[in-house]
Amino acid sequence: MADHTHSRTTSHSTPTSTSTSFRTETFDITTGSHEVALDITDRCVRFLDEHAVGRDGLLNVFVPHATAGIAVLETGSGSDEDFLATLRDLLPADDRWRHRHGSPGHGRDHVVPALVAPHATLPVIDGQLALGIWQSVVLVDTNGDNPHRTLRLSFLG
């Protein structure tokens, strides 16, 4: 899959003690005009390769938007499409929503972060993301009205 990230580095490093530090960086991502479960695992790995070499800690993945979330799920075998279909079944894009600006059914996009949190905190062992064999970090974006997203990655370790 093509890399949809465009780095807009606003890196910040704060030593919290002699052995622990905090690193954070933001990235611009173009998700497009259709709902997407975009695998961002490679972006997370590249960030850790720069900021967590050989260290144990936690990676926090955060999307500061009212209509997007972060999930950990299998991709490439249809699970990502099944997940989006499940969201469509649970939250139809129709006129039932009180939040009515934007495209028809856009109100449902504002409910998505209640089901798919806008963040995930993941273990990092020896500088490597400690995911299960089939797990990927995914940006879930159902809002076709806003194709531009910001992703913040933060490492504490």
Side-chain angles (χ1 to χ4, degrees):
M1 177 175 280
D3 184 356
H4 296 273
T5 62
H6 308 283
S7 183
R8 176 176 50 97
T9 304
T10 57
S11 188
H12 178 74
S13 175
T14 303
T16 56
S17 74
T18 56
S19 64
T20 304
S21 67
F22 177 79
R23 309 275 184 178
T24 190
E25 198 167 332
T26 59
F27 305 91
D28 292 328
I29 297 178
T30 301
T31 56
S33 59
H34 302 298
E35 63 185 19
V36 65
L38 181 65
D39 188 339
I40 58 170
T41 308
D42 287 346
R43 180 65 259 174
C44 295
V45 168
R46 286 194 307 268
F47 174 80
L48 292 173
D49 286 348
E50 294 173 28
H51 299 293
V53 176
R55 298 184 68 97
D56 294 346
L58 296 171
L59 174 68
N60 182 264
V61 183
F62 177 66
V63 56
H65 297 279
T67 58
I70 301 294
V72 177
L73 57 100
E74 181 179 1
T75 60
S77 65
S79 297
D80 41 351
E81 290 302 319
D82 289 341
F83 181 69
L84 290 173
T86 299
L87 287 177
R88 282 191 298 273
D89 290 345
L90 289 172
L91 306 170
D94 58 22
D95 65 356
R96 73 182 70 203
W97 307 100
R98 290 181 187 93
H99 188 109
R100 293 188 182 262
H101 77 84
S103 61
H106 173 66
R108 75 134 183 164
D109 300 327
H110 287 273
V111 177
V112 167
L115 300 176
V116 183
H119 60 88
T121 300
L122 307 166
V124 175
I125 308 298
D126 196 25
Q128 303 296 309
L129 196 53
L131 293 173
I133 192 165
W134 300 113
Q135 291 179 316
S136 296
V137 183
V138 176
L139 170 64
V140 178
D141 186 2
T142 60
N143 181 3
D145 292 345
N146 183 3
H148 305 289
R149 299 299 184 171
T150 298
L151 176 69
R152 175 174 293 280
L153 301 178
S154 302
F155 175 73
L156 179 64

